[in-house]
Structure formats: structure tokens, C-alpha cells
Amino acid sequence: MLNTVKRLKIENNHHVRHYSQHRRRVVVTGLGLVTPLGVGVEHNWKRLIEGYCGITSIDRLVKENLPSTIGGIVRRGKEDGEFDSERWVPKDSRGLSSPFIEYAICAAQQAVDASRWKPKTEEDSDRTGVTFGSSLSSLDDILSTHDQYSKHGLRKVSPYFIPRILNNLAGGHISIIHGYRGPNHCASTACTTGAHSIGDAFRFISHGDADVMIAGGSESCITPLAVAGFSRARALATEFNENPTVASRPFDRDRRGFIMSEGAGAIMLEELHHAIDRGADIYCEVLGYGLSGDGHHVTSPPPDGRGAEKCMRAALRDANATASQVDYVNAHATSTPLGDAIENAAIMRVFHENTKLSVSSTKGATGHLLGAAGAVEAIFSILAIRHNVVPPTLNLENVDEGFNLDYTPKTAKKRQVDVSISNSFGFGD
Ligand SMILES: *[C@@H]1O[C@H](CO)[C@@H](O)[C@H](O)[C@H]1NC(C)=O
């Protein structure tokens, strides 16, 4: 579990924080997105604010007659907002890149382009690193290779098989493509992966291991086997197969489970003075990060939501911020009956005195991107600060009983956003 907290207007705030003398400040200087809403940060934000939903019916799931036959897939093609691997993935990386790696390369390239950071010296390279994770890597590669091996033996196993399925190879390709030789690390913590990657990178920079880090998560595992597995874990909504765009409905009375999605999010993080000295466009500051484990059950959070509460409080403490300073919480809320209720209770406890708080779950529009969710949603939280707009919770028709916050139902809300929190929770965390 974890959160990140961010604040704009760092230029008015050059004093050094005293509670940790050696801690360096970290800012965001670039973003990249590949989601069911499309490719590109502006494209995604526009669609999110307009209330577009990226969930559709998926033929290969329909053919298998699975309980859930819908999901949020990244549309491939050459049109604006579509994913074109020939455009984004360098030739040398192509055969070695399964879809989760391709999406990561694309999101990272966008963040690199936006940040205009390019190492010029050996030292620049050594001070620039990568933290990029995935949760399930490439199930399609594992299954098809197993199939070939069973039928035809060793000769049909591609030498590229292992590099295509290793979780850390998304980050591996990014470091090779851009010549980053600093820390290269990979969290794989189920649906918290993207958030942990950002938090780790934030710590590496503030601790002094690196000056610049590209951080994020990516996922592409909408396969019949994964859908079967999540169905058996009773995690997916199965009642909306004929009406995909209303299936993901966080905080709604009639929410029935989450919808699997794919994509990637990447963030360029940078030490404050490093960014200022080179005149980088600074989106916001990362103020703090907190994490906790439930120590409770593999897939269910404890009913009192104490883990979620603890990590939000830890992030606020780390940020030296109070609950009343927060303007927006981007909730993890995946649209499951239990998960949303528990997170809601935790948010209500932490922010009970904050009457101006806005909350939303962008999963109504995107579905649940699993290992990429934390990164994609941190980016939406940053964009809320940048544009002073809270993105909506799609499909929130009837707020459930006992949910007493402003969940930004259906339409985006224009308001001042100086501080936001992005929540992520995962199985086993
Ligand atoms: C923490 O925040 C408080 C209130 O804004 C401020 O007075 C204090 O100086 C801050 N502490 C540090 C160490 O920055």
C-alpha cells in the first residue's frame, strides 16, 4: 500500500526542510501515458475530463465464454492516440519486447521527451536511473512458448523467451535505449507496483543515489487465463458484459468488481536544483511517500481499513503536511464492493476535518491497470494539480450508503488543487 503527495508552487518555497537535514527535494519534470484512453498525456487527460470510458468487449474472452468478457485494451494503429509499436519501440528492442515492455518503452519515451533530459557526460548517465515494474509480465508468451515446447521440444523455444517475460526488462530496455546507468530497480507488488516504483525512485533521489529517475509501471495480461484466475478469486465484475462502459463504477451502490485493463505510466523525477539549474519545466514536487502492509489476508483488506489509513498518515507525515492541506485524493477504488468501502472508511477517518476535500477514482474511465495503475493514477493526480481540475468518477449514479465525501461523480470539477494524494493497494500488500 502507499501514497504519494504532491504540491505545485515550489518556486515560492526555497527554504530547506529541517526535519531531515540530508533529505533532498524531488520534483516531477516529465510524464508519459499509454492506457485504454489512448497514447499521450494530453490525449489521456482530454478524454478523462470529457468523461470517455475505455472499456470494451474483447473477442478472445467472448470466444472462451468467460464470466467477464470485457476490459480496457490499448488500441493499436497509426491514428492519433493509437499505439504504434514501430513508431515507439526502437528496432533493436522490437523482437525482445512483449507488450508490457513495449508500453513501458512508449510511456518512458514520452516522459523523457517532455523532460528534455539527456545525459551528456558519463556522470550524467551514472546519476540517472530507472525503477519500472509489472505484476504479471507476459502471460501470452509463457503460454504460447509452453505450448510450442510441449508439441515440438527445445528448438521451438525462442532465445528471446526469457527476456520477454522478466518483469525487470521493461526498465532494462529503458536504461539501454536512453543510456541510463544509475540505479535500475524493479518492484513487483501486484496492483501497488506502479506506486512503489515512484516511491522507490523518490527515495533514491532524496537519499542521494541518483539525481534523475524514470519511474513507472506497465501491464499487459488481459488473457483468458488471467481473467479465469481473477474470476475464480471473485474479483471481477461479471454482470456488465453487454454494457462495458458502465461496468467500472467505483463508490457506486451497484458496483460489482473490477475490470482488467492494460497500459503503462512513466514519470521523470528529478532533484529540485538539478531541475532548476537546467531550466526544466517543473510540474510539481513530490512531498512524501508512505507505505504499509495489512498482515491480514492474501486478497482481502482488514474490514477496518487500518492499513490504508496507516499509509495515508505515513505519507502525510513524510510530507510534513496535514490532512487539511490536501485538496484531492485519487482513490485506488477499483469498483469492488469490499475494497471501495474499506478505502472510503479509511479516507473518511484521515480527512474527517477537511471539508474542502475532493475524491475520485479514475478507474471508472480506465478500468484497473494492475501493475500500471499506481503510475497512471499518480500522473492523473499530478495533472489535477497542473490544470486545477479534479477528474471525474465515471458511472457514479448512486453513492453507496455511508459514503459521505465529494466523489466528483460523472463530471470533472474545476477547483484549486495544490496538494494531492494517490492511493494504491494490492493483493498481498
Ligand atoms: C512542517 O510544517 C509546519 C507547518 O507548516 C512548519 O511550521 C514547519 O516548519 C515544518 N517543518 C519542517 C521541518 O519543515
Side-chain angles (χ1 to χ4, degrees):
M1 297 191 173
L2 116 156
N3 331 97
T4 46
V5 183
K6 295 150 193 92
R7 182 175 62 194
L8 193 65
K9 299 205 176 89
I10 57 107
E11 59 275 14
N12 302 325
N13 195 10
H14 281 303
H15 65 269
V16 177
R17 281 213 207 86
H18 303 291
Y19 61 100
S20 171
Q21 237 178 337
H22 302 294
R23 179 161 158 171
R24 308 189 318 153
R25 293 171 67 184
V26 180
V27 295
V28 174
T29 56
L31 305 173
L33 283 170
V34 179
T35 80
L37 302 180
V39 175
V41 172
E42 276 172 30
H43 185 88
N44 265 273
W45 186 246
K46 185 165 180 289
R47 289 205 145 175
L48 184 65
I49 296 312
E50 284 171 353
Y52 178 92
C53 178
I55 312 296
T56 56
S57 183
I58 298 175
D59 290 345
R60 72 188 282 217
L61 303 179
V62 174
K63 273 192 206 113
E64 301 275 330
N65 215 359
L66 284 154
S68 168
T69 56
I70 59 180
I73 51 171
V74 172
R75 271 169 264 298
R76 286 178 183 256
K78 305 227 182 259
E79 298 295 313
D80 184 41
E82 292 180 336
F83 180 76
D84 175 13
S85 58
E86 281 179 26
R87 172 172 169 205
W88 292 103
V89 183
K91 246 198 180 113
D92 289 346
S93 292
R94 248 174 249 162
L96 286 156
S97 298
S98 51
F100 86 96
I101 296 175
E102 292 184 318
Y103 298 158
I105 290 172
C106 173
Q109 184 68 54
Q110 295 170 44
V112 168
D113 291 346
S115 76
R116 295 180 287 112
W117 169 243
K118 194 171 170 50
K120 291 188 192 74
T121 63
E122 278 293 306
E123 197 197 343
D124 286 349
S125 290
D126 292 348
R127 300 291 298 165
T128 306
V130 188
T131 51
F132 225 100
S134 173
S135 68
L136 286 164
S137 87
S138 184
L139 289 175
D140 269 333
D141 272 278
I142 295 169
L143 292 173
S144 63
T145 305
H146 177 259
D147 198 41
Q148 290 293 309
Y149 175 67
S150 310
K151 285 186 190 136
H152 307 290
L154 182 66
R155 288 176 159 283
K156 283 290 179 186
V157 175
S158 163
Y160 292 171
F161 170 55
I162 298 295
R164 284 174 65 93
I165 64 160
L166 289 176
N167 270 322
N168 67 311
L169 255 288
H173 281 274
I174 292 166
S175 73
I176 293 164
I177 291 166
H178 300 287
Y180 298 163
R181 307 207 179 86
N184 192 341
H185 202 31
C186 171
S188 181
T189 47
C191 304
T192 330
T193 298
H196 280 153
S197 303
I198 297 166
D200 287 348
F202 167 61
R203 290 272 197 266
F204 288 149
I205 295 172
S206 65
H207 191 75
D209 297 286
D211 295 327
V212 186
M213 295 285 303
I214 187 125
S218 92
E219 198 74 68
S220 178
C221 66
I222 309 178
T223 58
L225 184 65
V227 172
F230 280 117
S231 296
R232 293 289 286 164
R234 300 167 61 95
L236 300 181
T238 58
E239 295 162 26
F240 302 96
N241 289 336
E242 304 308 317
N243 208 354
T245 57
V246 303
S248 183
R249 35 195 324 115
F251 303 123
D252 189 76
R253 192 184 60 198
D254 299 315
R255 66 189 185 278
R256 293 287 183 269
F258 76 77
I259 305 300
M260 283 178 73
S261 291
E262 62 174 6
I267 298 187
M268 190 67 99
L269 295 175
E270 193 163 340
E271 193 274 327
L272 172 65
H273 297 287
H274 191 279
I276 290 173
D277 289 349
R278 68 181 189 87
D281 177 15
I282 295 174
Y283 291 67
C284 67
E285 178 175 8
V286 181
L287 291 181
Y289 168 57
L291 49 171
S292 68
D294 283 333
H296 176 71
H297 183 272
V298 175
T299 57
S300 295
D304 63 3
R306 61 178 180 265
E309 180 178 343
K310 258 191 304 185
C311 72
M312 281 186 273
R313 291 196 192 282
L316 289 170
R317 208 180 311 120
D318 192 45
N320 188 36
T322 61
S324 58
Q325 287 175 293
V326 175
D327 301 297
Y328 170 49
V329 175
N330 183 300
H332 180 71
T334 63
S335 179
T336 62
L338 190 63
D340 291 14
I342 286 168
E343 182 181 9
N344 175 62
I347 296 172
M348 282 177 34
R349 278 202 302 277
V350 174
F351 296 98
H352 61 98
E353 282 176 344
N354 181 341
T355 51
K356 61 165 191 182
L357 185 74
S358 288
V359 178
S360 72
S361 169
T362 43
K363 288 189 177 78
T366 62
H368 189 2
L369 280 86
L370 309 174
V376 167
E377 290 158 20
I379 293 170
F380 291 153
S381 310
I382 293 164
L383 293 171
I385 290 171
R386 194 164 172 86
H387 298 293
N388 284 311
V389 172
V390 173
T393 305
L394 282 204
N395 300 316
L396 180 47
E397 303 282 348
N398 300 292
V399 177
D400 203 357
E401 212 175 303
F403 286 52
N404 300 324
L405 297 164
D406 177 2
Y407 303 96
T408 327
K410 300 205 282 195
T411 40
K413 183 175 188 172
K414 186 114 192 83
R415 59 158 290 174
Q416 181 82 20
V417 184
D418 289 332
V419 181
S420 63
I421 286 194
S422 176
N423 276 350
S424 282
F425 311 119
F427 285 1
D429 278 356

